[in-house]
Amino acid sequence: MRIQNKKKLFFWGLVIGFHLALCYGVDAQTPTDNSFVVVVDPGHGGKDPGAMAFGAKEKDLVLSISQKIEAQLKDHKGIQVILTRRSDQFVELWRRAQIANEIKRADNKAGADLFISVHCDAIRNPGIQGTHAFVMGTHVNKRNYEVAKHENSVVFLEDGHEENYPGFSPNDPETVIALHDVQQDYHEKSIMAAKFIHDRVEFDLKRKVRDIKQAGFLVLHQTNVPSVLLETGFLTNSNDAKYLKSYSGQMEIAKAVADAIVDYRDWVHNNTSTLGGTQSSNPAEIEDYSQGVSYRVQLLVSKINRSPYDSYFKELSPISKERYNNLIRYYYGMTRSHEQANRFKNDAISRGFKDAGVVKFIDGKRTKEWY
């Protein structure tokens, strides 16, 4: 019965998505060239204030931060930012996603290259703080489900939500779990975008970040592009709230996100020839770096043969491995940028792989150079 319900929900999701595209199409937004297009979505707005604490409203803070992200990238050649709202207005979840899905491109490519929904978190425990990103996936614990449930509950403020999201209820875990399928093709790219944001916040701003998590967010499910929901901090934590309310704090977060977008754009461009239109669940094992210089981060050498998805790797992805005598070398990431390789290395060390180091490859062959 559960499998039948999931198939039914998936089918109706496609039908309704097509219906909405016909009946409620957003104004066409056409980049002037072959720019890398990012849709930045300030969460909440209008009659939906979002989280409120310490005299701050989430809808106001995320709009200000999103506008600053756009400003940071305004003069960056080759990147165009589109906001889903520019004022204190209520925008339905499906419409936010539709803006990303239906952008008309000069290169005839469908949709944006990346969708980032900007939010602030809230929790009963005022001691919890930090920036953290979510990607679409099955909520693996109660906390992830509660966060998704809170963000998804905005559908009750939408006129006609029963017709727009048939069979979906934020209060029903089964319908939220069923959302996972549609975004699966973009899962790896979404994780990489989230990791670039975490790296910039942690290593550039020296601010606390929490683990990248997966949860059933309706706004991410509706998008047909790589998507991230970013919780910039906890408004219920006095330190985070003070930081996010300040002009300097907003500027810092905005710059970190903007720089991460550039990092992600460069990563995508460097891997275009091998990634193609769809994303493998473990691209580091299939990407062709047979020509030129590339870098990987060696995590460890071990006798134990582990799956690349083993929890041992603490959400590091992608993981690849190679045989070495009777041992196995485990690598994290693959890039042509030495700077990005160092970011991967710092990420690995922060997650407990203290002996991690950058290894240089030439024409696909490992060299003796170690950083």
Side-chain angles (χ1 to χ4, degrees):
M1 180 63 71
R2 289 183 177 180
I3 294 176
Q4 291 177 341
N5 288 339
K6 290 181 181 180
K7 289 182 177 179
K8 182 178 179 181
L9 178 61
F10 177 70
F11 170 77
W12 279 109
L14 293 177
V15 171
I16 293 300
F18 179 71
H19 170 75
L20 292 174
L22 291 177
C23 299
Y24 303 101
V26 296
D27 293 336
Q29 302 189 59
T30 306
T32 56
D33 52 27
N34 293 336
S35 296
F36 187 89
V37 182
V38 181
V39 172
V40 178
D41 170 44
H44 308 281
K47 59 185 176 182
D48 174 23
M52 295 185 288
F54 292 102
K57 292 182 180 179
E58 180 181 2
K59 67 174 183 177
D60 298 330
L61 297 185
V62 298
L63 177 59
S64 180
I65 292 170
S66 297
Q67 290 172 331
K68 289 177 173 60
I69 294 172
E70 180 186 36
Q72 289 285 334
L73 293 170
K74 183 177 180 180
D75 298 323
H76 200 289
K77 185 177 180 180
I79 295 181
Q80 179 172 342
V81 179
I82 294 172
L83 300 185
T84 59
R85 67 180 179 96
R86 293 185 174 277
S87 61
D88 184 16
Q89 65 181 116
F90 180 76
V91 182
E92 296 87 348
L93 295 181
W94 66 263
R95 187 174 178 83
R96 296 170 189 265
Q98 189 182 40
I99 291 172
N101 294 341
E102 297 194 350
I103 291 172
K104 296 180 179 179
R105 305 289 294 269
D107 55 5
N108 295 319
K109 182 179 177 181
D113 294 286
L114 180 64
F115 176 88
I116 300 177
S117 190
V118 183
H119 292 259
C120 301
D121 209 341
I123 195 170
R124 290 184 178 181
N125 184 347
I128 293 179
Q129 66 181 120
T131 298
H132 60 131
F134 286 89
V135 299
M136 185 64 205
T138 302
H139 46 274
V140 295
N141 60 38
K142 182 178 179 181
R143 168 59 182 157
N144 292 5
Y145 170 64
E146 290 300 325
V147 174
K149 178 181 175 182
H150 170 72
E151 298 293 355
N152 291 339
S153 66
V154 69
V155 301
F156 293 131
L157 298 178
E158 299 184 16
D159 295 333
H161 65 84
E162 298 93 343
E163 293 78 21
N164 291 345
Y165 312 99
F168 174 79
S169 170
N171 300 317
D172 183 357
E174 286 299 318
T175 63
V176 177
I177 290 174
L179 295 177
H180 180 52
D181 298 334
V182 177
Q183 261 284 318
Q184 187 62 36
D185 288 344
Y186 308 102
H187 186 67
E188 196 68 39
K189 283 186 176 180
S190 299
I191 289 177
M192 288 303 298
K195 287 179 65 60
F196 284 124
I197 295 173
H198 273 216
D199 286 351
R200 286 291 184 175
V201 172
E202 181 176 10
F203 301 118
D204 291 359
L205 305 185
K206 310 300 181 184
R207 292 190 63 81
K208 178 178 177 58
V209 297
R210 303 169 66 81
D211 288 342
I212 296 170
K213 298 180 176 65
Q214 301 182 46
F217 290 99
L218 191 55
V219 70
L220 298 186
H221 161 258
Q222 297 282 304
T223 60
N224 296 325
V225 302
S227 303
V228 174
L229 188 142
L230 175 65
E231 301 282 6
T232 54
F234 285 82
L235 286 187
T236 44
N237 176 271
S238 59
N239 291 328
D240 274 7
K242 181 179 179 180
Y243 182 76
L244 294 174
K245 288 166 61 178
S246 70
Y247 176 82
S248 60
Q250 291 180 16
M251 285 296 293
E252 287 183 3
I253 287 290
K255 186 177 188 308
V257 175
D259 288 343
I261 290 171
V262 176
D263 293 337
Y264 174 75
R265 189 278 307 269
D266 292 345
W267 177 80
V268 170
H269 283 184
N270 287 337
N271 293 282
T272 296
S273 61
T274 53
L275 290 177
T278 58
Q279 186 73 26
S280 165
S281 59
N282 190 17
E285 292 186 340
I286 65 171
E287 290 170 4
D288 180 13
Y289 284 83
S290 60
Q291 300 295 321
V293 175
S294 61
Y295 302 91
R296 304 187 206 182
V297 174
Q298 180 174 300
L299 299 177
L300 74 156
V301 180
S302 173
K303 293 182 178 180
I304 302 174
N305 188 4
R306 299 181 183 273
S307 163
Y309 308 104
D310 195 311
S311 60
Y312 176 83
F313 295 111
K314 302 178 182 179
E315 296 187 348
L316 293 175
S317 176
I319 299 294
S320 58
K321 54 188 179 181
E322 68 174 1
R323 293 286 180 179
Y324 172 65
N325 294 330
N326 295 321
L327 302 173
I328 299 175
R329 288 170 171 158
Y330 289 92
Y331 298 104
Y332 161 44
M334 183 176 285
T335 176
R336 298 193 186 280
S337 166
H338 188 252
E339 179 183 0
Q340 182 56 46
N342 282 328
R343 290 186 181 280
F344 286 151
K345 174 184 174 180
N346 291 335
D347 188 12
I349 291 174
S350 72
R351 293 174 186 267
F353 295 92
K354 304 301 182 184
D355 296 326
V358 175
V359 181
K360 183 177 181 179
F361 286 73
I362 297 179
D363 295 338
K365 296 181 180 179
R366 178 182 170 126
T367 71
K368 293 182 179 181
E369 293 188 48
W370 175 277
Y371 306 93

